[in-house]
Amino acid sequence: MPYTELVIAVDFAIIILTATLLSIIAQKTGQPAIVAYLFTGIILGPVVLDVVSGSSIVELFSELGLAFLLFLIGFEMNFGVIKSILSSVIRISVYQTILQTILAFSIAYLVGFTLMETFIIALCTVFGATPVIVKILSDKKEITTVAGRINIGVLIIQDIYLVIILAIFNAESLSSPLNILISVLWVLGLLALIGAFAIVASRYILPLIFDVVVSYNKAFFVQAIAWGFLFVSLTEYLELSVEIGAFLAGLSLGQLRYSAELKGRIRPITNFFMIIFFSSIGLQIEGSYILLYWKEALFSSVVLMAGNFLIMFYLIRREKFDMETTFLGSINMIQVSEFSLVVGALAVSRGFIQEEILGYFSLMAIGTMSISTYFIYYNKQLYEKIESYLERFRLPDERNVKLEALKNHAIIIGYNEVSRLIIPLLKERYGKVVVVDNNPHKINIKNEEKVSYIFGDFFQEELQQETSLDEAAFVFNTTRNIYLNLMILQEASKEAITFLRAESIETADEYYREGAHFVIVYDLITRQKITDLVIAFLNNPEKFKSLASADIEKMK
């Protein structure tokens, strides 16, 4: 193996092993894994040990991690789900960007930086930490809440703002307003064209492609990745943000009925790349500059975190969202992003600021991201502690917005003749029915009113979230997969009626001990008989449960 390749392999091994060790320690002590990943880079980089360099291959993997993360964010932005709050999110995002820029400018000028340095610092420190916010909210299953949607909307507007700032810095001269205007208009025009193409493709091109390739397991996954890289390559070629390209690719795929399955397959790759991404933040910090502006960084961090919270709190309340949404949406957005290092490095390369100021950016980014991680991680506990104090700020006409979500519905896993026969009854009983099957030909049927047909493997966590397994009132698994049945019994609500199939009496007995309501053991039972059992069971579940338990005892 050539020496360069050996060094790269060793660097990756050290990063992964250190991140794994620190994440285990973090888990044992109740700390978020992201903090462990951030400190991996600090320990291995120039600040402490300086044993891993920020090589080009590490930077590439880091950028891929961020691109994949934005790719997944795009999947979450389903137009049908967010349309009720879209106008509010846009207003919050625009005003937040303006107000936070003014705040960052005022703080930098107050601590003694020159006018040019203050201008650059204000542009660099206005961004929220997209990877931190999205990763923790995803892990906590809060990314689909109203507060989570607001946060994602603000982050996307900030990413567009980032592209504009990069265009400004790439202008021939900052002293020429005309050059700056031309650069910004060019970038916005390109983004509009790419965005329009993504939306058109989601309606007319992608459904045709994926309806064909969905039957071919590997091609299905590869097609999604290829679509993502198409947009990344396009934005890279046009000298735009690859993150924006990845987001637009995910946005177009997120409108498909296959999106949950695709998310489940892409997330493991993203999680690996994100370890490299968070570690690389620490690797970028120069040890000689880290403490040069530590007092200024400490003061600025405290004021910015408080100011960012108050700005978001005011703007969300201005849209009359309820108090919990306002607090959660605000506390999640208090940090300075790692993008400050990226934009700061570009400003240094153009000669706008001195390299020493990167130490100021580094301390602010690491400090605020680490601290805010805890605020996001424990956001609901914080809200519960101060909820009584926030009562005085309640509005008489506040909006308790509920995004379109499934609750008290029925889930059928596996579409067959039995499913078809009992769907009308379940619709009448529960209102909404969700049918999940990993055979695309089975679910490729015309959608009925109040019935959703979703393609995918129900083992995928994303599919369980999309079908709201924990909120379902009835779950019927037509397959006999023991691991799937046990997972359903573990993840479904204790109040949910669970109707399962088993290979043997012993397995059925185990399901009952785990809380199943009724288990079908015999393959010899006709489909009509199974349907009759489901109907009878729904009419008197307690009676059938006792009868089933008695039958098992007899057969033993």
Side-chain angles (χ1 to χ4, degrees):
M1 179 182 292
Y3 177 75
T4 303
E5 293 181 9
L6 179 62
V7 170
I8 292 172
V10 171
D11 283 351
F12 270 109
I14 293 173
I15 291 172
I16 297 299
L17 289 174
T18 305
T20 301
L21 176 62
L22 292 180
S23 62
I24 292 173
I25 296 172
Q27 185 178 27
K28 294 289 186 183
T29 56
Q31 312 305 313
I34 285 180
V35 174
Y37 300 154
L38 288 170
F39 277 92
T40 296
I42 294 174
I43 292 170
L44 299 179
V47 176
V48 182
L49 299 178
D50 198 18
V51 294
V52 174
S53 62
S55 64
S56 57
I57 191 69
V58 172
E59 292 177 5
L60 174 62
F61 270 59
S62 170
E63 191 167 4
L64 281 173
L66 190 56
F68 270 107
L69 183 67
L70 268 294
F71 192 40
L72 282 177
I73 292 175
F75 276 98
E76 301 289 353
M77 301 297 281
N78 187 286
F79 295 138
V81 174
I82 65 169
K83 62 183 179 182
S84 61
I85 63 169
L86 185 58
S87 59
S88 294
V89 169
I90 292 173
R91 284 193 295 269
I92 292 170
S93 303
V94 172
Y95 285 121
Q96 187 269 350
T97 302
I98 295 170
L99 292 175
Q100 194 169 322
T101 302
I102 294 172
L103 175 64
F105 184 93
S106 303
I107 294 170
Y109 190 74
L110 182 63
V111 298
F113 288 105
T114 68
L115 193 60
M116 175 57 78
E117 289 170 343
T118 298
F119 175 69
I120 300 299
I121 289 171
L123 294 181
C124 291
T125 55
V126 72
F127 313 106
T130 300
V132 172
I133 297 168
V134 174
K135 183 71 170 67
I136 299 178
L137 291 183
S138 295
D139 291 344
K140 295 181 66 183
K141 300 180 182 179
E142 292 180 17
I143 202 164
T144 55
T145 63
V146 178
R149 299 292 189 186
I150 292 172
N151 292 150
I152 296 301
V154 172
L155 292 170
I156 294 305
I157 296 294
Q158 287 184 352
D159 282 342
I160 296 173
Y161 182 55
L162 170 64
V163 174
I164 294 173
I165 290 174
L166 294 176
I168 292 174
F169 283 2
N170 284 315
E172 293 182 8
S173 172
L174 287 184
S175 61
S176 172
L178 181 59
N179 286 335
I180 294 175
L181 181 62
I182 291 173
S183 296
V184 171
L185 291 178
W186 172 251
V187 166
L188 291 178
L190 291 176
L191 284 177
L193 285 174
I194 297 172
F197 173 67
I199 293 172
V200 171
S202 70
R203 293 184 178 180
Y204 304 108
I205 301 174
L206 290 175
L208 297 176
I209 295 174
F210 278 88
D211 284 347
V212 173
V213 302
V214 70
S215 301
Y216 306 96
N217 196 37
K218 293 181 180 178
F220 176 67
F221 172 68
V222 171
Q223 182 64 43
I225 297 296
W227 185 256
F229 275 106
L230 171 65
F231 276 75
V232 167
S233 301
L234 181 60
T235 51
E236 177 77 11
Y237 175 76
L238 296 173
E239 298 182 353
L240 300 173
S241 167
V242 296
E243 290 78 27
I244 290 290
F247 168 75
L248 291 173
L251 181 70
S252 56
L253 292 172
Q255 314 312 309
L256 303 179
R257 59 179 176 172
Y258 309 114
S259 61
E261 176 71 9
L262 288 171
K263 277 191 292 183
R265 299 192 190 190
I266 292 168
R267 190 174 295 280
I269 302 175
T270 304
N271 289 339
F272 168 76
F273 281 129
M274 290 311 296
I275 294 176
I276 308 298
F277 172 80
F278 285 115
S279 300
S280 71
I281 295 173
L283 296 177
Q284 296 175 42
I285 300 174
E286 287 293 335
S288 58
Y289 299 145
I290 190 68
L291 297 177
L292 198 59
Y293 290 102
W294 72 270
K295 292 180 181 178
E296 292 86 346
L298 179 61
F299 174 79
S300 300
S301 296
V302 172
V303 177
L304 264 180
M305 285 194 293
N308 292 347
F309 173 81
L310 293 174
I311 288 171
M312 283 296 293
F313 193 93
Y314 165 71
L315 292 174
I316 298 175
R317 285 304 275 170
R318 188 168 172 263
E319 296 296 326
K320 298 183 178 178
F321 287 102
D322 64 86
M323 185 56 71
E324 182 176 7
T325 296
T326 300
F327 179 83
L328 297 180
S330 304
I331 202 69
N332 295 341
M333 296 287 296
I334 62 175
Q335 66 292 113
V336 174
S337 172
E338 77 292 339
F339 280 131
S340 62
L341 298 176
V342 177
V343 181
L346 178 59
V348 170
S349 69
R350 295 297 308 273
F352 300 141
I353 57 174
Q354 298 299 312
E355 191 173 0
E356 291 84 352
I357 296 180
L358 289 179
Y360 172 80
F361 291 142
S362 300
L363 271 184
M364 288 185 67
I366 290 294
T368 60
M369 281 196 293
S370 299
I371 293 170
S372 69
T373 293
Y374 292 94
F375 281 106
I376 303 171
Y377 201 74
Y378 299 106
N379 55 11
K380 291 196 172 180
Q381 292 89 327
L382 284 171
Y383 176 72
E384 290 171 1
K385 288 185 178 297
I386 67 171
E387 183 178 7
S388 59
Y389 299 102
L390 295 173
E391 287 292 329
R392 68 191 70 177
F393 299 108
R394 290 197 180 277
L395 302 173
D397 56 345
E398 67 182 20
R399 300 159 59 196
N400 186 10
V401 177
K402 298 294 183 184
L403 295 177
E404 185 180 339
L406 293 169
K407 193 169 184 178
N408 297 325
H409 56 293
I411 300 175
I412 299 176
I413 302 152
Y415 185 80
N416 55 25
E417 184 64 21
V418 175
S419 306
R420 189 184 67 79
L421 291 172
I422 66 173
I423 281 175
L425 174 68
L426 295 177
K427 283 170 56 181
E428 181 181 344
R429 181 71 175 266
Y430 298 106
K432 184 74 174 178
V433 180
V434 180
V435 181
V436 180
D437 201 297
N438 58 8
N439 184 333
H441 300 297
K442 286 187 178 181
I443 65 163
N444 192 23
I445 55 180
K446 184 178 180 180
N447 284 3
E448 303 176 42
E449 185 181 0
K450 296 184 179 180
V451 180
S452 299
Y453 297 89
I454 301 177
F455 167 77
D457 186 341
F458 204 70
F459 275 114
Q460 299 279 11
E461 184 178 348
E462 280 71 16
L463 210 69
Q464 296 165 33
Q465 291 182 28
E466 180 152 323
T467 58
S468 298
L469 174 61
D470 57 339
E471 298 284 355
F474 178 89
V475 183
F476 181 23
N477 182 14
T478 67
T479 74
R480 292 173 297 181
N481 188 309
I482 185 170
Y483 302 108
L484 182 57
N485 282 330
L486 291 174
M487 184 276 294
I488 291 169
L489 293 172
Q490 181 179 358
E491 299 297 331
S493 168
K494 297 304 179 185
E495 289 74 35
I497 295 174
T498 46
F499 210 100
L500 310 174
R501 293 181 64 193
E503 292 276 6
S504 64
I505 299 297
E506 291 75 21
T507 305
D509 197 15
E510 181 181 0
Y511 293 163
Y512 281 120
R513 288 197 302 270
E514 293 296 324
H517 287 79
F518 193 75
V519 183
I520 299 171
V521 179
Y522 296 108
D523 281 336
L524 298 177
I525 299 178
T526 64
R527 291 171 178 171
Q528 186 59 53
K529 181 63 177 176
I530 293 174
T531 305
D532 293 340
L533 283 171
V534 174
I535 295 172
F537 178 79
L538 287 173
N539 290 329
N540 196 340
E542 290 304 318
K543 175 184 176 182
F544 261 75
K545 184 173 181 179
S546 61
L547 287 173
S549 299
D551 287 342
I552 286 177
E553 289 302 319
K554 283 182 187 178
M555 294 179 182
K556 282 183 176 179

